[in-house]
Amino acid sequence: MLPSTICLLVLALIGLINSAAINSGSQDVSYDVPIPRGYTREQYVKSVVDYWTSERMASAKPLHPTVSMSPKVFSVKDDEDIGVERVLTPSVASPQTRGANTPPAAGRAFFSMGGNTYVCSGSVVNAANRDTVVTAGHCVFNNTNKEWATNWIFIPDYDSKERPFGTFVSRKLATKQQWKDKGDYNNDVAIVLLNTNEDGRHAQDLTGAFGITLGAPTSAATNAFGFPMNINNGETMSTCASSSKKQSLLLMSSFKGLQITCGMGGGASGGPWLQKYNAATKEGQQVSLTSFSYSLAPGKVHGPHFNTDNIGSLFQENQNA
């Protein structure tokens, strides 16, 4: 049973949710996570870390949409309008690694929505605040129930319940207006700003960070990382080494994203797709992320093609926050 103080915190968060600051622009929307009255930031962070017991983590459900008809997309630009390839931010090597091929900047996210607990994947990206994670829009906002996630945490390099770099609690969630309002899969992207971990350390200082490239080649060697529940119950990081390509216009004429051949299922949503990945330094440029599967394309996963209009503007607005 939860300690009474944590139960009271959960009730307090529910009470505060409607009064929390929600910032909406023409393209981006964000939610500043409230700290309950009477709590310091440090007390709040500890309470959320304590909320995520091993039992809660084990019961978390994966979020990974499988669409049976062409996914919803709006305000789609022609490929020529996406722009030339541009490095938005370069990758940064981790000061410490565990070997193998598991990049510390990739990790597992846990959160609550609608009274249930869920799990996704995400990645630390190089940002001025040193606390920026990229994930899928559906991992922070449910556009059916119009609900932001709560109790959102990120565990970089998660491995069989181990947290080698600690736990990072969210302080701000941000996604695209097109995802929030319309469920547009070309804009199924999100940024989460983190508090420092239990030791007061910034995520990027510990894990290093992936870079972000906009308008990357649609056909290129790609390494995808995530924590799919269909492989070892999501307890270890999985990877797909594939070649990206454009989605077939015959199947999804208005989706301008990418697809790769990959068997990762639910739980991998939000995990990074990297080009120019260096297995020795664990560096790479993120060009997309795992968004959804399509019933008419078995064995494939799909992700938005990073460009100025989706992750580009979202990153620029939040990297200094």
Short mmCIF file of all heavy atoms in Angstrom, two decimals, residues 8-68:
data_model
loop_
_atom_site.label_atom_id
_atom_site.label_comp_id
_atom_site.label_asym_id
_atom_site.label_seq_id
_atom_site.Cartn_x
_atom_site.Cartn_y
_atom_site.Cartn_z
N LEU A 8 -1.88 11.42 -0.72
CA LEU A 8 -2.33 12.79 -0.68
C LEU A 8 -1.76 13.59 -1.85
O LEU A 8 -2.41 14.47 -2.40
CB LEU A 8 -1.90 13.43 0.64
CG LEU A 8 -2.66 12.94 1.89
CD1 LEU A 8 -2.03 13.54 3.15
CD2 LEU A 8 -4.13 13.32 1.81
N LEU A 9 -0.50 13.28 -2.24
CA LEU A 9 0.11 13.97 -3.36
C LEU A 9 -0.67 13.72 -4.64
O LEU A 9 -0.94 14.63 -5.41
CB LEU A 9 1.56 13.52 -3.54
CG LEU A 9 2.23 13.98 -4.85
CD1 LEU A 9 2.29 15.50 -4.88
CD2 LEU A 9 3.60 13.37 -4.96
N VAL A 10 -1.04 12.45 -4.86
CA VAL A 10 -1.79 12.11 -6.07
C VAL A 10 -3.09 12.90 -6.11
O VAL A 10 -3.49 13.45 -7.14
CB VAL A 10 -2.06 10.60 -6.13
CG1 VAL A 10 -2.95 10.28 -7.31
CG2 VAL A 10 -0.75 9.83 -6.25
N LEU A 11 -3.80 12.98 -4.96
CA LEU A 11 -5.05 13.73 -4.90
C LEU A 11 -4.79 15.21 -5.16
O LEU A 11 -5.58 15.89 -5.83
CB LEU A 11 -5.71 13.53 -3.54
CG LEU A 11 -6.24 12.12 -3.25
CD1 LEU A 11 -6.76 12.05 -1.82
CD2 LEU A 11 -7.33 11.75 -4.23
N ALA A 12 -3.68 15.71 -4.59
CA ALA A 12 -3.36 17.11 -4.80
C ALA A 12 -3.08 17.42 -6.26
O ALA A 12 -3.50 18.45 -6.80
CB ALA A 12 -2.15 17.50 -3.95
N LEU A 13 -2.38 16.50 -6.94
CA LEU A 13 -2.09 16.70 -8.35
C LEU A 13 -3.37 16.74 -9.17
O LEU A 13 -3.52 17.52 -10.10
CB LEU A 13 -1.17 15.57 -8.86
CG LEU A 13 0.29 15.70 -8.49
CD1 LEU A 13 1.05 14.46 -8.94
CD2 LEU A 13 0.90 16.93 -9.08
N ILE A 14 -4.32 15.84 -8.83
CA ILE A 14 -5.59 15.83 -9.55
C ILE A 14 -6.30 17.16 -9.37
O ILE A 14 -6.87 17.72 -10.29
CB ILE A 14 -6.47 14.66 -9.05
CG1 ILE A 14 -5.82 13.32 -9.44
CG2 ILE A 14 -7.87 14.76 -9.62
CD1 ILE A 14 -6.51 12.13 -8.84
N GLY A 15 -6.23 17.69 -8.14
CA GLY A 15 -6.89 18.96 -7.87
C GLY A 15 -6.24 20.12 -8.60
O GLY A 15 -6.90 21.10 -8.95
N LEU A 16 -4.93 20.03 -8.83
CA LEU A 16 -4.21 21.14 -9.45
C LEU A 16 -4.20 21.09 -10.97
O LEU A 16 -3.86 22.07 -11.62
CB LEU A 16 -2.75 21.15 -8.97
CG LEU A 16 -2.51 21.71 -7.56
CD1 LEU A 16 -1.08 21.44 -7.15
CD2 LEU A 16 -2.82 23.19 -7.52
N ILE A 17 -4.58 19.95 -11.54
CA ILE A 17 -4.36 19.73 -12.97
C ILE A 17 -5.04 20.79 -13.83
O ILE A 17 -4.52 21.21 -14.85
CB ILE A 17 -4.83 18.31 -13.36
CG1 ILE A 17 -4.20 17.90 -14.69
CG2 ILE A 17 -6.34 18.24 -13.47
CD1 ILE A 17 -2.79 17.48 -14.56
N ASN A 18 -6.24 21.24 -13.41
CA ASN A 18 -6.96 22.20 -14.22
C ASN A 18 -6.40 23.61 -14.11
O ASN A 18 -6.64 24.45 -14.95
CB ASN A 18 -8.44 22.20 -13.83
CG ASN A 18 -9.13 20.91 -14.24
OD1 ASN A 18 -8.78 20.35 -15.26
ND2 ASN A 18 -10.08 20.46 -13.45
N SER A 19 -5.64 23.88 -13.05
CA SER A 19 -5.10 25.22 -12.86
C SER A 19 -3.65 25.34 -13.32
O SER A 19 -3.07 26.40 -13.25
CB SER A 19 -5.20 25.62 -11.38
OG SER A 19 -4.44 24.73 -10.58
N ALA A 20 -3.07 24.25 -13.79
CA ALA A 20 -1.69 24.29 -14.24
C ALA A 20 -1.58 25.13 -15.51
O ALA A 20 -2.53 25.26 -16.28
CB ALA A 20 -1.19 22.88 -14.51
N ALA A 21 -0.39 25.70 -15.72
CA ALA A 21 -0.19 26.57 -16.87
C ALA A 21 -0.12 25.77 -18.15
O ALA A 21 0.69 24.86 -18.28
CB ALA A 21 1.09 27.38 -16.68
N ILE A 22 -1.00 26.09 -19.09
CA ILE A 22 -0.98 25.48 -20.41
C ILE A 22 -0.74 26.59 -21.42
O ILE A 22 -1.52 27.53 -21.51
CB ILE A 22 -2.29 24.73 -20.72
CG1 ILE A 22 -2.47 23.57 -19.74
CG2 ILE A 22 -2.29 24.21 -22.15
CD1 ILE A 22 -3.76 22.82 -19.90
N ASN A 23 0.35 26.48 -22.16
CA ASN A 23 0.75 27.52 -23.09
C ASN A 23 0.51 27.05 -24.51
O ASN A 23 0.99 25.99 -24.90
CB ASN A 23 2.22 27.88 -22.90
CG ASN A 23 2.54 28.17 -21.44
OD1 ASN A 23 1.92 29.04 -20.85
ND2 ASN A 23 3.48 27.44 -20.87
N SER A 24 -0.23 27.82 -25.28
CA SER A 24 -0.59 27.40 -26.63
C SER A 24 -0.21 28.48 -27.62
O SER A 24 -0.53 29.65 -27.43
CB SER A 24 -2.09 27.13 -26.71
OG SER A 24 -2.45 26.64 -27.98
N GLY A 25 0.49 28.07 -28.68
CA GLY A 25 0.86 28.97 -29.75
C GLY A 25 0.22 28.52 -31.04
O GLY A 25 -0.65 27.66 -31.06
N SER A 26 0.65 29.10 -32.16
CA SER A 26 0.05 28.75 -33.43
C SER A 26 0.41 27.33 -33.87
O SER A 26 -0.35 26.69 -34.57
CB SER A 26 0.50 29.75 -34.50
OG SER A 26 1.92 29.74 -34.62
N GLN A 27 1.58 26.84 -33.42
CA GLN A 27 2.00 25.51 -33.83
C GLN A 27 2.30 24.59 -32.65
O GLN A 27 2.19 23.38 -32.78
CB GLN A 27 3.26 25.60 -34.70
CG GLN A 27 3.02 26.20 -36.07
CD GLN A 27 4.25 26.07 -36.95
OE1 GLN A 27 5.38 26.04 -36.46
NE2 GLN A 27 4.05 26.00 -38.25
N ASP A 28 2.69 25.15 -31.52
CA ASP A 28 3.14 24.35 -30.39
C ASP A 28 2.23 24.56 -29.18
O ASP A 28 1.62 25.62 -29.02
CB ASP A 28 4.57 24.72 -30.00
CG ASP A 28 5.53 24.65 -31.18
OD1 ASP A 28 5.35 23.75 -32.02
OD2 ASP A 28 6.44 25.49 -31.27
N VAL A 29 2.18 23.55 -28.33
CA VAL A 29 1.42 23.66 -27.09
C VAL A 29 2.21 22.98 -26.00
O VAL A 29 2.89 21.97 -26.24
CB VAL A 29 0.01 23.03 -27.25
CG1 VAL A 29 0.09 21.55 -27.56
CG2 VAL A 29 -0.84 23.28 -26.02
N SER A 30 2.18 23.54 -24.80
CA SER A 30 2.97 22.97 -23.71
C SER A 30 2.21 23.03 -22.40
O SER A 30 1.25 23.79 -22.24
CB SER A 30 4.31 23.70 -23.58
OG SER A 30 4.11 25.06 -23.26
N TYR A 31 2.69 22.23 -21.46
CA TYR A 31 2.05 22.09 -20.15
C TYR A 31 3.13 22.11 -19.08
O TYR A 31 4.03 21.27 -19.07
CB TYR A 31 1.28 20.78 -20.12
CG TYR A 31 0.77 20.33 -18.77
CD1 TYR A 31 -0.27 20.98 -18.14
CD2 TYR A 31 1.34 19.22 -18.13
CE1 TYR A 31 -0.75 20.55 -16.91
CE2 TYR A 31 0.87 18.78 -16.91
CZ TYR A 31 -0.17 19.46 -16.30
OH TYR A 31 -0.64 19.03 -15.08
N ASP A 32 3.10 23.12 -18.22
CA ASP A 32 4.04 23.22 -17.11
C ASP A 32 3.54 22.38 -15.94
O ASP A 32 2.46 22.64 -15.41
CB ASP A 32 4.22 24.67 -16.68
CG ASP A 32 4.88 25.52 -17.74
OD1 ASP A 32 5.88 25.07 -18.33
OD2 ASP A 32 4.39 26.63 -18.00
N VAL A 33 4.30 21.37 -15.56
CA VAL A 33 3.87 20.44 -14.52
C VAL A 33 3.80 21.18 -13.18
O VAL A 33 4.79 21.78 -12.75
CB VAL A 33 4.83 19.25 -14.42
CG1 VAL A 33 4.40 18.30 -13.31
CG2 VAL A 33 4.90 18.51 -15.76
N PRO A 34 2.66 21.14 -12.50
CA PRO A 34 2.52 21.89 -11.24
C PRO A 34 3.15 21.16 -10.07
O PRO A 34 3.21 19.94 -10.03
CB PRO A 34 1.00 21.97 -11.06
CG PRO A 34 0.49 20.71 -11.71
CD PRO A 34 1.40 20.46 -12.89
N ILE A 35 3.64 21.94 -9.13
CA ILE A 35 4.13 21.39 -7.87
C ILE A 35 3.05 21.62 -6.82
O ILE A 35 2.59 22.75 -6.63
CB ILE A 35 5.45 22.05 -7.44
CG1 ILE A 35 6.55 21.76 -8.47
CG2 ILE A 35 5.87 21.58 -6.05
CD1 ILE A 35 7.85 22.44 -8.18
N PRO A 36 2.57 20.58 -6.15
CA PRO A 36 1.50 20.75 -5.16
C PRO A 36 1.86 21.75 -4.08
O PRO A 36 3.01 21.86 -3.67
CB PRO A 36 1.33 19.33 -4.59
CG PRO A 36 1.88 18.43 -5.63
CD PRO A 36 3.00 19.18 -6.29
N ARG A 37 0.85 22.45 -3.62
CA ARG A 37 1.04 23.44 -2.56
C ARG A 37 1.66 22.77 -1.33
O ARG A 37 1.24 21.70 -0.90
CB ARG A 37 -0.30 24.09 -2.20
CG ARG A 37 -0.18 25.24 -1.19
CD ARG A 37 -1.52 25.90 -0.96
NE ARG A 37 -1.96 26.64 -2.14
CZ ARG A 37 -2.98 26.25 -2.92
NH1 ARG A 37 -3.63 25.15 -2.64
NH2 ARG A 37 -3.32 26.97 -3.96
N GLY A 38 2.66 23.41 -0.75
CA GLY A 38 3.30 22.87 0.44
C GLY A 38 4.50 22.01 0.16
O GLY A 38 5.19 21.59 1.10
N TYR A 39 4.78 21.73 -1.12
CA TYR A 39 5.93 20.91 -1.49
C TYR A 39 7.02 21.78 -2.09
O TYR A 39 6.75 22.71 -2.86
CB TYR A 39 5.54 19.87 -2.54
CG TYR A 39 4.89 18.63 -1.99
CD1 TYR A 39 3.57 18.64 -1.55
CD2 TYR A 39 5.60 17.43 -1.91
CE1 TYR A 39 2.97 17.51 -1.05
CE2 TYR A 39 5.00 16.29 -1.41
CZ TYR A 39 3.69 16.33 -0.98
OH TYR A 39 3.10 15.21 -0.48
N THR A 40 8.25 21.51 -1.73
CA THR A 40 9.37 22.07 -2.47
C THR A 40 9.54 21.25 -3.73
O THR A 40 8.98 20.15 -3.86
CB THR A 40 10.67 22.01 -1.66
OG1 THR A 40 11.03 20.63 -1.46
CG2 THR A 40 10.51 22.71 -0.31
N ARG A 41 10.31 21.78 -4.67
CA ARG A 41 10.56 21.01 -5.90
C ARG A 41 11.24 19.68 -5.57
O ARG A 41 10.91 18.64 -6.14
CB ARG A 41 11.42 21.82 -6.88
CG ARG A 41 11.71 21.08 -8.19
CD ARG A 41 12.40 22.00 -9.18
NE ARG A 41 11.54 23.09 -9.59
CZ ARG A 41 10.63 23.01 -10.56
NH1 ARG A 41 10.45 21.87 -11.21
NH2 ARG A 41 9.90 24.06 -10.88
N GLU A 42 12.19 19.70 -4.65
CA GLU A 42 12.90 18.47 -4.28
C GLU A 42 11.94 17.44 -3.67
O GLU A 42 12.02 16.25 -3.98
CB GLU A 42 14.02 18.79 -3.30
CG GLU A 42 15.18 19.57 -3.89
CD GLU A 42 14.85 21.04 -4.14
OE1 GLU A 42 13.86 21.54 -3.52
OE2 GLU A 42 15.56 21.68 -4.93
N GLN A 43 11.01 17.90 -2.83
CA GLN A 43 10.04 16.98 -2.23
C GLN A 43 9.10 16.41 -3.29
O GLN A 43 8.75 15.23 -3.25
CB GLN A 43 9.23 17.71 -1.16
CG GLN A 43 10.01 18.03 0.10
CD GLN A 43 9.25 18.94 1.04
OE1 GLN A 43 8.43 19.76 0.62
NE2 GLN A 43 9.50 18.79 2.34
N TYR A 44 8.71 17.26 -4.22
CA TYR A 44 7.83 16.79 -5.29
C TYR A 44 8.53 15.74 -6.15
O TYR A 44 7.96 14.68 -6.45
CB TYR A 44 7.39 17.96 -6.17
CG TYR A 44 6.77 17.51 -7.47
CD1 TYR A 44 5.53 16.89 -7.50
CD2 TYR A 44 7.45 17.69 -8.68
CE1 TYR A 44 4.98 16.46 -8.69
CE2 TYR A 44 6.91 17.26 -9.87
CZ TYR A 44 5.66 16.64 -9.87
OH TYR A 44 5.13 16.20 -11.05
N VAL A 45 9.77 16.02 -6.55
CA VAL A 45 10.53 15.06 -7.37
C VAL A 45 10.64 13.72 -6.64
O VAL A 45 10.41 12.66 -7.23
CB VAL A 45 11.92 15.63 -7.71
CG1 VAL A 45 12.83 14.54 -8.27
CG2 VAL A 45 11.79 16.77 -8.72
N LYS A 46 10.98 13.75 -5.37
CA LYS A 46 11.10 12.51 -4.60
C LYS A 46 9.78 11.76 -4.54
O LYS A 46 9.75 10.53 -4.65
CB LYS A 46 11.60 12.79 -3.19
CG LYS A 46 11.83 11.51 -2.36
CD LYS A 46 12.36 11.82 -0.97
CE LYS A 46 12.68 10.53 -0.22
NZ LYS A 46 11.54 9.60 -0.13
N SER A 47 8.67 12.49 -4.39
CA SER A 47 7.37 11.83 -4.29
C SER A 47 7.01 11.11 -5.58
O SER A 47 6.42 10.03 -5.56
CB SER A 47 6.28 12.84 -3.92
OG SER A 47 6.05 13.75 -4.97
N VAL A 48 7.36 11.70 -6.73
CA VAL A 48 7.06 11.05 -8.00
C VAL A 48 7.97 9.84 -8.21
O VAL A 48 7.53 8.79 -8.69
CB VAL A 48 7.19 12.04 -9.18
CG1 VAL A 48 6.96 11.33 -10.51
CG2 VAL A 48 6.18 13.18 -9.02
N VAL A 49 9.24 9.98 -7.85
CA VAL A 49 10.15 8.82 -7.94
C VAL A 49 9.63 7.69 -7.06
O VAL A 49 9.59 6.52 -7.48
CB VAL A 49 11.58 9.23 -7.52
CG1 VAL A 49 12.48 7.98 -7.43
CG2 VAL A 49 12.17 10.23 -8.51
N ASP A 50 9.18 8.00 -5.85
CA ASP A 50 8.66 6.98 -4.94
C ASP A 50 7.36 6.37 -5.47
O ASP A 50 7.06 5.20 -5.20
CB ASP A 50 8.40 7.58 -3.56
CG ASP A 50 9.68 7.93 -2.82
OD1 ASP A 50 10.75 7.46 -3.24
OD2 ASP A 50 9.61 8.70 -1.84
N TYR A 51 6.58 7.16 -6.20
CA TYR A 51 5.32 6.67 -6.78
C TYR A 51 5.57 5.48 -7.70
O TYR A 51 4.78 4.53 -7.74
CB TYR A 51 4.64 7.80 -7.54
CG TYR A 51 3.42 7.41 -8.34
CD1 TYR A 51 2.17 7.32 -7.74
CD2 TYR A 51 3.52 7.14 -9.70
CE1 TYR A 51 1.05 6.97 -8.47
CE2 TYR A 51 2.41 6.79 -10.44
CZ TYR A 51 1.18 6.71 -9.82
OH TYR A 51 0.06 6.36 -10.56
N TRP A 52 6.72 5.52 -8.43
CA TRP A 52 6.99 4.47 -9.40
C TRP A 52 7.71 3.29 -8.75
O TRP A 52 8.91 3.10 -8.88
CB TRP A 52 7.79 5.02 -10.58
CG TRP A 52 6.91 5.84 -11.47
CD1 TRP A 52 6.86 7.19 -11.57
CD2 TRP A 52 5.91 5.34 -12.36
NE1 TRP A 52 5.90 7.57 -12.47
CE2 TRP A 52 5.30 6.46 -12.98
CE3 TRP A 52 5.47 4.05 -12.70
CZ2 TRP A 52 4.27 6.34 -13.91
CZ3 TRP A 52 4.45 3.93 -13.62
CH2 TRP A 52 3.86 5.05 -14.22
N THR A 53 6.92 2.50 -8.04
CA THR A 53 7.42 1.28 -7.44
C THR A 53 7.66 0.24 -8.53
O THR A 53 7.19 0.37 -9.66
CB THR A 53 6.40 0.73 -6.43
OG1 THR A 53 5.18 0.42 -7.14
CG2 THR A 53 6.11 1.74 -5.33
N SER A 54 8.36 -0.82 -8.19
CA SER A 54 8.59 -1.91 -9.14
C SER A 54 7.27 -2.50 -9.62
O SER A 54 7.13 -2.87 -10.80
CB SER A 54 9.45 -3.00 -8.50
OG SER A 54 10.72 -2.49 -8.17
N GLU A 55 6.29 -2.56 -8.72
CA GLU A 55 4.99 -3.13 -9.09
C GLU A 55 4.27 -2.24 -10.11
O GLU A 55 3.67 -2.74 -11.06
CB GLU A 55 4.11 -3.30 -7.83
CG GLU A 55 4.59 -4.35 -6.84
CD GLU A 55 5.80 -3.91 -6.03
OE1 GLU A 55 6.07 -2.68 -5.95
OE2 GLU A 55 6.50 -4.79 -5.47
N ARG A 56 4.34 -0.93 -9.90
CA ARG A 56 3.68 -0.03 -10.85
C ARG A 56 4.36 -0.10 -12.22
O ARG A 56 3.70 -0.08 -13.26
CB ARG A 56 3.72 1.41 -10.34
CG ARG A 56 2.52 1.76 -9.47
CD ARG A 56 2.22 3.25 -9.54
NE ARG A 56 1.00 3.51 -8.79
CZ ARG A 56 0.96 3.80 -7.51
NH1 ARG A 56 2.10 3.88 -6.84
NH2 ARG A 56 -0.18 4.03 -6.90
N MET A 57 5.67 -0.14 -12.22
CA MET A 57 6.38 -0.23 -13.49
C MET A 57 6.02 -1.52 -14.23
O MET A 57 5.81 -1.53 -15.44
CB MET A 57 7.89 -0.17 -13.26
CG MET A 57 8.40 1.20 -12.90
SD MET A 57 10.20 1.21 -12.75
CE MET A 57 10.49 2.96 -12.53
N ALA A 58 5.94 -2.61 -13.49
CA ALA A 58 5.63 -3.90 -14.11
C ALA A 58 4.23 -3.93 -14.69
O ALA A 58 3.98 -4.64 -15.67
CB ALA A 58 5.80 -5.02 -13.08
N SER A 59 3.31 -3.14 -14.12
CA SER A 59 1.92 -3.16 -14.60
C SER A 59 1.66 -2.12 -15.68
O SER A 59 0.56 -2.07 -16.24
CB SER A 59 0.97 -2.91 -13.42
OG SER A 59 1.14 -1.61 -12.89
N ALA A 60 2.66 -1.29 -16.01
CA ALA A 60 2.46 -0.25 -17.02
C ALA A 60 2.21 -0.87 -18.39
O ALA A 60 2.86 -1.83 -18.79
CB ALA A 60 3.68 0.67 -17.06
N LYS A 61 1.27 -0.29 -19.11
CA LYS A 61 0.90 -0.78 -20.44
C LYS A 61 1.66 -0.03 -21.52
O LYS A 61 1.94 1.17 -21.37
CB LYS A 61 -0.61 -0.59 -20.66
CG LYS A 61 -1.49 -1.23 -19.61
CD LYS A 61 -2.94 -0.85 -19.83
CE LYS A 61 -3.84 -1.40 -18.73
NZ LYS A 61 -5.25 -0.98 -18.91
N PRO A 62 1.97 -0.69 -22.61
CA PRO A 62 2.66 0.01 -23.71
C PRO A 62 1.69 0.86 -24.51
O PRO A 62 0.52 0.51 -24.68
CB PRO A 62 3.21 -1.14 -24.56
CG PRO A 62 2.25 -2.27 -24.33
CD PRO A 62 1.80 -2.14 -22.90
N LEU A 63 2.18 1.99 -25.01
CA LEU A 63 1.42 2.82 -25.93
C LEU A 63 2.11 2.76 -27.29
O LEU A 63 3.23 3.23 -27.45
CB LEU A 63 1.38 4.27 -25.45
CG LEU A 63 0.22 4.69 -24.55
CD1 LEU A 63 0.28 6.20 -24.30
CD2 LEU A 63 -1.12 4.32 -25.14
N HIS A 64 1.44 2.17 -28.26
CA HIS A 64 2.00 2.06 -29.61
C HIS A 64 0.83 1.87 -30.57
O HIS A 64 0.34 0.76 -30.73
CB HIS A 64 2.97 0.88 -29.69
CG HIS A 64 3.63 0.73 -31.04
ND1 HIS A 64 4.58 1.61 -31.50
CD2 HIS A 64 3.46 -0.18 -32.02
CE1 HIS A 64 4.99 1.24 -32.70
NE2 HIS A 64 4.31 0.16 -33.05
N PRO A 65 0.35 2.94 -31.19
CA PRO A 65 -0.82 2.82 -32.06
C PRO A 65 -0.58 1.87 -33.23
O PRO A 65 0.48 1.89 -33.85
CB PRO A 65 -1.02 4.25 -32.57
CG PRO A 65 -0.30 5.11 -31.59
CD PRO A 65 0.85 4.31 -31.09
N THR A 66 -1.57 1.04 -33.50
CA THR A 66 -1.61 0.24 -34.72
C THR A 66 -2.84 0.67 -35.49
O THR A 66 -3.97 0.43 -35.06
CB THR A 66 -1.68 -1.27 -34.42
OG1 THR A 66 -0.52 -1.65 -33.66
CG2 THR A 66 -1.71 -2.07 -35.71
N VAL A 67 -2.64 1.35 -36.60
CA VAL A 67 -3.77 1.87 -37.36
C VAL A 67 -4.18 0.86 -38.42
O VAL A 67 -3.35 0.15 -39.00
CB VAL A 67 -3.44 3.23 -37.99
CG1 VAL A 67 -3.14 4.25 -36.92
CG2 VAL A 67 -2.27 3.11 -38.94
N SER A 68 -5.48 0.75 -38.65
CA SER A 68 -6.01 -0.20 -39.64
C SER A 68 -6.46 0.49 -40.91
O SER A 68 -6.88 -0.16 -41.86
CB SER A 68 -7.19 -0.97 -39.03
OG SER A 68 -8.18 -0.08 -38.58
#
